[in-house]
Amino acid sequence: MWQSSPPGSIYDYIRVASFSIGPDGLIEQWSSRAAGLFGMASTEAIGRDPVEAFMPAELRSDGHRRVGEILDGKEWTGLVPFRIPAEGGAHGVAEVYVMPSLTGRGERAALCIVVDVRALRRIETDLAASQAIFGQSPFGFVLFGTDFAVVRANQRFATVFGGAAEDHRGRTVEDYLPRAEADRLSAILKRVLETGESVTDLQLVGTVPGGTASVGTVPGGTAPGGTVPGGTERRHWSMNLYRVHSGAGRPVGVAGLATDVTRRHIAAREAASARRNLALLNEASARIGNSLDLETTARELLDVAVPGFCDLATVDLYQGLLTGEEAAPGSWAPAHRESAGGSAELRRVAHASAVADALPTAVAGNGPSGPDDLPPALGSVHRFPFGSPCAAALRSGRVEDVPGDEMGFVQSTLAVPMVAHDTVVGLVQFSRTKGSEPFGERDRALATELAARAAVCIDNGRLYRREHERALILQRSLLPPGDPEAAGLDIACRYLPGNTATEVGGDWFDVIELPGHRTALVVGDVMGRGLRAAVAMGELRTAVRTLALLDLEPAEVLSALDEVARGLGSPGGGERSEGLGGSGGAQWPSRAAQKSREADLSEVYLATCVYAVYDPVTRRCTFANAGHLPPAVVEPGRPARLIDVPPGMPLGVGGEPFEEVEVELTENALLTLYTDGLVESRDQPLDEGLDALRAALTGPQMELEDACDHVLSTLDTRHGEDDIALLMARIQGLPGEAVGDWRLPREPRSVGRARELARSQLVAWDLDELVDTTELLVSELVTNALRYGEGEIRLRLLRDRTLVCEVWDAGLVQPRRRRARDTDEGGRGLQLVGLLSAAWGSRRTPRGKTVWFELALPDGAPAAELSVEQLLSMY
């Protein structure tokens, strides 16, 4: 049996041999295994004394005695040292079992079975090492046979899957893994057994039966895995597989070493989730808030969230927020706005889906109440029912979980209030469909952060829009309504505000009627943008009107306006001290504070302005410029040109005087005043813009309104980058027959002569209804000029939309209206002028002063008579 055993049997490992001793004590039979063990062929061994052949000399006497006892029929077992001739006389130790036997003739012999003790020690050591590795290993160890059934499993493996290690013998992979994973592992086991190629780090996902595995009982790890439906624990293993061979090299199975990598998998998943969340937040910082439009910001939020964070998402904003209703702080919070029927009105402003043919996310019972409980359509106004999770989220300002829909399409939904500065502005719903991982705590925190970032941008957009609308209202209220009218001028104007991205600018224009049918034309531009620029523009425009009514020269107007601008830019509205004060002596402002103040001055309170006064009688126009672009004029049949007006310094800089330039304009000439938005942009230098303006103005004469449109449409204005103000005036001087101008000597007879001249001129103008009043008032003014003035007297009547009478003299003392005492015989002339005229006043001239009054032209209605109270007011 020993000689015919197949290769790989136990005898190959333990080196068992046999031989027999005849009655004469000599070797009678010698097996092949004995030849292999002792290294001696049978021809050499048979007939030799085994004691003499194999035992050391010092042991031979005892050996002969033992052999004698054996031949006497005594069994013996023991350890026998021996020499191995084939190995140069090396010594070995053999365990010998001697059984007495009888020959065919009845003689006593012996059968000896020999086992090499060295091989036994090696096997014992190998078994101990194998048991230490297999039994004491902290990893799950399993041995599959050639039929892929479990041959052996260690206790660590059995601890995870229940029972003792022996209970797992005969089980297959289907007993431990889901069908798909089991099929995959079976195919890999078959490949390893057939090819001998090892497999390392094979990732497997399974479940612990009953979900009872606890920390410290999982092969190769101590962290429990997640849970799956059915109450079982999901585990992740990394498995190494290799083929196992017998001593003869025959494959006997596949060994597997499994390590529980659940903790590593969870850590990797959390790290990946953290990286994804950081990437989403980084993307959100870059993409959300690029626009101040509320709905655009909502769409930017969903562009970031879908599909990187969720499969479906919607954004609802409060309707009042979108319509621009003014409210007290915190009133957007739903606690202040909820009604018994549900939340305050919201509008669905954005929806995004990464799922084909998906309906807008809405959970049954969570959307607006209705027969079909349909979700709100994009752009629709709706309310969330009072008891719904969405309404609860709006009330509390906290994230609420929304149950999945009944159709099983949506698995998990988060209703996240959009909170900015402790104020709820809307609600965003993030949903994940079936097959996606449900939302976790990290996801809730990320959803809150995304919604908060969008909410801040939306609230900033709301605040900006409110300020922008206020600035627009202020700006437009300060511009002249419609097309202004002026004597001797046809006027057309255009104002194009910048878009919402460039905020409100400080451009303005104005047309101011001055005494004597003169007209002041003003165009200005406050540097900077926003509400402060609009406010500064309004203050400067008001100051210009006030200064213009004082009838100052254009250069004087700009000088006074410069003082006003510098006062606006100073602390306290006019204080210009540089920091001296306090009981501690000089206190110099910090460099940062000085830079900040200089920045405020340059951004808001510096302005450019061109101021022109046109006299229709002489068709002369006097210009003064404060850092503004030069006016343009085009005369009939000639190319357009820029009027050379010294530019001066911008208003608010101070320290430099302004110069005046007087230009005589031809009839039907076209005067154009404008701001830099018309001729300058990022892509167009100023010189090119001015050349383009001259080219647009040159050409056939057209209607004034058409000329304005032609300039705006011809020039590449890049509208939207800056405001554009355009003021065009067609010169129409007063005809000679509309002017009466006389010089009177300084003598009492001039009073009567003035009355006669005025009566004749009014009759010639068919203004008989104004003769009596005009005679009376002219008499008063000429009398005052004789009594209080100096030099020659000049009387001038102007007829246009009103009748203006002017009396000139060389005196510098301005008339002052006062209340006469009861005993005074005079002093009531100016009171009478004030009562009978539509307006009156006085102004300085280069050679004295002019006192004037204005009467409305008759319209066919009877003239109003002075009341008793008005007459008595003079006494």
Side-chain angles (χ1 to χ4, degrees):
M1 288 294 295
W2 291 336
Q3 296 300 321
S4 63
S5 62
S9 68
I10 186 62
Y11 305 109
D12 293 334
Y13 294 98
I14 63 176
R15 301 186 70 182
V16 177
S18 65
F19 63 92
S20 63
I21 301 175
D24 55 359
L26 301 177
I27 297 174
E28 187 176 66
Q29 292 182 341
W30 189 255
S31 67
S32 298
R33 290 187 180 271
L37 176 62
F38 294 104
M40 184 180 294
S42 58
T43 56
E44 300 179 40
I46 294 176
R48 295 187 64 178
D49 184 346
V51 175
E52 295 294 333
F54 300 109
M55 295 187 67
E58 64 273 13
L59 298 177
R60 289 174 184 172
S61 59
D62 187 56
H64 286 296
R65 182 176 59 81
R66 294 288 185 183
V67 171
E69 293 176 354
I70 292 171
L71 293 177
D72 288 339
K74 184 178 179 180
E75 289 188 5
W76 183 81
T77 301
L79 297 176
V80 179
F82 67 95
R83 291 181 297 110
I84 306 176
E87 297 184 9
H91 291 272
V93 177
E95 184 173 307
V96 181
Y97 176 45
V98 182
M99 297 173 288
S101 61
L102 296 175
T103 65
R105 296 190 294 271
E107 297 176 321
R108 293 175 183 253
L111 177 63
C112 299
I113 299 176
V114 182
V115 178
D116 189 351
V117 173
R118 293 180 303 171
L120 290 176
R121 294 292 180 267
R122 284 195 302 268
I123 292 174
E124 182 181 14
T125 302
D126 292 345
L127 288 175
S130 175
Q131 181 60 32
I133 295 174
F134 194 82
Q136 301 173 20
S137 172
F139 308 111
F141 196 95
V142 62
L143 179 63
F144 297 97
T146 55
D147 59 352
F148 307 120
V150 175
V151 175
R152 187 178 180 188
N154 67 351
Q155 187 57 42
R156 183 64 66 184
F157 183 88
T159 302
V160 175
F161 293 99
E166 293 297 325
D167 298 337
H168 291 272
R169 292 182 183 272
R171 293 184 181 179
T172 62
V173 292
E174 286 81 3
D175 297 319
Y176 304 105
L177 297 174
R179 180 61 178 273
E181 288 288 85
D183 292 344
R184 186 166 68 95
L185 180 57
S186 296
I188 295 174
L189 287 172
K190 183 178 180 181
R191 186 175 72 246
V192 171
L193 185 62
E194 292 176 351
T195 64
E197 296 179 358
S198 301
V199 174
T200 58
D201 198 21
L202 174 63
Q203 299 294 317
L204 297 172
V205 179
T207 57
V208 178
T212 59
S214 60
V215 174
T217 64
V218 182
T222 59
T227 59
V228 295
T232 58
E233 287 192 36
R234 186 187 301 272
R235 294 288 182 179
H236 297 263
W237 288 283
S238 173
M239 199 167 192
N240 297 326
L241 299 173
Y242 57 93
R243 190 169 68 182
V244 179
H245 305 83
S246 67
R250 178 173 59 87
V252 295
V254 178
L257 182 65
T259 305
D260 190 316
V261 293
T262 304
R263 167 174 283 181
R264 186 173 71 188
H265 179 81
I266 293 175
R269 184 174 60 185
E270 290 181 350
S273 176
R275 287 193 297 269
R276 181 199 66 186
N277 292 353
L278 288 175
L280 276 174
L281 290 177
N282 183 59
E283 185 181 5
S285 299
R287 297 181 60 182
I288 298 177
N290 293 321
S291 170
L292 291 170
D293 180 72
L294 308 188
E295 298 184 14
T296 301
T297 301
R299 289 192 293 270
E300 291 171 345
L301 168 62
L302 300 194
D303 289 342
V304 172
V306 180
F309 178 67
C310 62
D311 301 316
L312 301 167
T314 60
V315 176
D316 299 287
L317 298 179
Y318 279 118
Q319 176 69 357
L321 182 80
L322 297 168
T323 56
E325 294 179 6
E326 292 293 338
S331 61
W332 294 117
H336 296 266
R337 299 178 58 83
E338 245 188 24
S339 64
S343 66
E345 286 188 343
L346 299 105
R347 186 194 304 172
R348 181 143 296 180
V349 296
H351 164 70
S353 171
V355 183
D357 301 326
L359 291 174
T361 176
V363 179
N366 189 46
S369 57
D372 299 324
D373 206 17
L374 294 175
L378 188 64
S380 64
V381 178
H382 64 93
R383 297 175 183 267
F384 289 112
F386 184 83
S388 66
C390 290
L394 290 170
R395 284 194 301 273
S396 65
R398 295 189 296 269
V399 181
E400 295 287 340
D401 292 309
V402 181
D405 61 349
E406 296 178 354
M407 299 176 60
F409 178 71
V410 175
Q411 174 180 239
S412 178
T413 298
L414 295 178
V416 187
M418 305 178 73
V419 183
H421 310 116
D422 297 326
T423 299
V424 178
V425 298
L427 183 80
V428 56
Q429 295 183 70
F430 301 107
S431 298
R432 289 180 179 173
T433 58
K434 295 295 184 180
S436 298
E437 187 176 351
F439 290 112
E441 286 302 317
R442 289 180 182 269
D443 295 323
R444 293 170 66 92
L446 177 60
T448 302
E449 179 65 21
L450 289 175
R453 293 195 179 198
V456 170
C457 295
I458 287 174
D459 194 51
N460 289 342
R462 175 183 69 86
L463 295 175
Y464 168 79
R465 184 176 64 182
R466 184 185 66 184
E467 296 302 316
H468 186 263
E469 290 175 352
R470 289 177 177 177
L472 281 178
I473 293 172
L474 174 62
Q475 184 185 50
R476 290 166 182 168
S477 68
L478 296 174
L479 295 174
D483 290 331
E485 295 182 356
L489 292 175
D490 290 337
I491 297 176
C493 53
R494 296 289 186 273
Y495 181 79
L496 301 180
N499 57 29
T500 56
T502 58
E503 302 183 7
V504 173
D507 294 15
W508 91 93
F509 66 90
D510 208 347
V511 178
I512 307 170
E513 293 188 61
L514 299 177
H517 286 315
R518 293 170 305 133
T519 303
L521 304 175
V522 188
V523 170
D525 184 2
V526 176
M527 299 182 186
R529 313 206 63 80
L531 184 60
R532 297 180 67 190
V535 171
M537 177 268 282
E539 293 176 324
L540 291 177
R541 178 181 180 272
T542 301
V544 169
R545 278 190 159 267
T546 302
L547 294 170
L549 294 178
L550 294 177
D551 213 356
L552 302 176
E553 296 297 325
E556 294 177 331
V557 170
L558 292 186
S559 296
L561 196 62
D562 177 63
E563 290 295 328
V564 172
R566 285 193 289 162
L568 293 176
S570 302
E575 245 179 82
R576 301 200 54 83
S577 62
E578 292 295 333
L580 293 176
S583 58
Q587 297 178 355
W588 299 99
S590 68
R591 188 172 184 85
Q594 185 175 1
K595 286 185 176 181
S596 175
R597 179 174 174 275
E598 290 174 356
D600 287 344
L601 286 174
S602 64
E603 179 178 286
V604 177
Y605 295 114
L606 292 182
T608 64
C609 179
V610 61
Y611 184 88
V613 175
Y614 172 69
D615 187 344
V617 177
T618 61
R619 292 200 311 275
R620 301 186 70 82
C621 190
T622 305
F623 296 92
N625 191 354
H628 202 80
L629 296 174
V633 63
V634 54
E635 297 173 341
R638 302 184 63 182
R641 61 184 175 88
L642 300 179
I643 300 177
D644 187 13
V645 181
M649 299 298 292
L651 301 176
V653 174
E656 294 292 333
F658 297 97
E659 299 182 39
E660 293 181 357
V661 171
E662 189 175 64
V663 178
E664 184 174 352
L665 302 173
T666 61
E667 189 76 10
N668 290 324
L670 183 60
L671 179 65
T672 303
L673 306 179
Y674 52 94
T675 57
D676 57 357
L678 181 68
V679 294
E680 186 177 24
S681 68
R682 295 189 184 96
D683 302 323
Q684 178 175 265
L686 179 60
D687 291 343
E688 294 182 8
L690 292 175
D691 291 340
L693 174 62
R694 288 195 294 267
L697 292 174
T698 302
Q701 182 172 317
M702 60 183 70
E703 294 293 330
L704 200 55
E705 294 292 334
D706 295 338
C708 280
D709 295 336
H710 173 72
V711 168
L712 292 176
S713 61
T714 303
L715 268 63
D716 186 13
T717 61
R718 296 291 197 277
H719 178 232
E721 293 183 4
D722 196 3
D723 293 358
I724 296 175
L726 176 63
L727 178 62
M728 303 183 77
R730 181 85 67 190
I731 302 301
Q732 302 288 343
L734 285 180
E737 60 270 15
V739 179
D741 194 351
W742 307 276
R743 298 181 183 274
L744 302 173
R746 190 172 186 80
E747 56 187 33
R749 289 182 304 172
S750 295
V751 176
R753 177 61 179 162
R755 286 197 299 266
E756 294 175 0
L757 292 173
R759 182 187 314 111
S760 300
Q761 186 65 64
L762 292 180
V763 171
W765 287 341
D766 294 328
L767 296 178
D768 297 24
E769 298 180 24
L770 301 181
V771 169
D772 293 340
T773 304
T774 303
E775 282 187 340
L776 176 60
L777 299 185
V778 165
S779 177
E780 289 292 334
L781 295 186
V782 173
T783 300
N784 285 342
L786 288 173
R787 180 175 299 178
Y788 306 109
E790 298 178 6
E792 186 181 36
I793 299 173
R794 180 182 178 188
L795 173 65
R796 189 168 74 169
L797 295 179
L798 306 175
R799 177 187 178 182
D800 192 67
R801 291 173 297 131
T802 61
L803 175 67
V804 174
C805 176
E806 297 175 332
V807 176
W808 307 43
D809 70 80
L812 298 177
V813 179
Q814 297 289 324
R816 181 173 60 89
R817 183 176 177 179
R818 63 183 180 86
R819 181 177 295 276
R821 291 174 296 184
D822 294 343
T823 57
D824 290 342
E825 296 181 359
R828 298 178 179 87
L830 292 181
Q831 286 183 274
L832 187 63
V833 172
L835 288 174
L836 296 178
S837 66
W840 78 279
S842 67
R843 67 177 185 274
R844 292 182 301 167
T845 64
R847 297 181 180 85
K849 67 176 180 297
T850 300
V851 183
W852 58 270
F853 66 84
E854 183 176 342
L855 296 175
L857 298 181
D859 56 1
E865 296 183 358
L866 295 179
S867 64
V868 175
E869 290 77 9
Q870 290 175 320
L871 293 173
L872 291 177
S873 66
M874 294 187 296
Y875 296 93

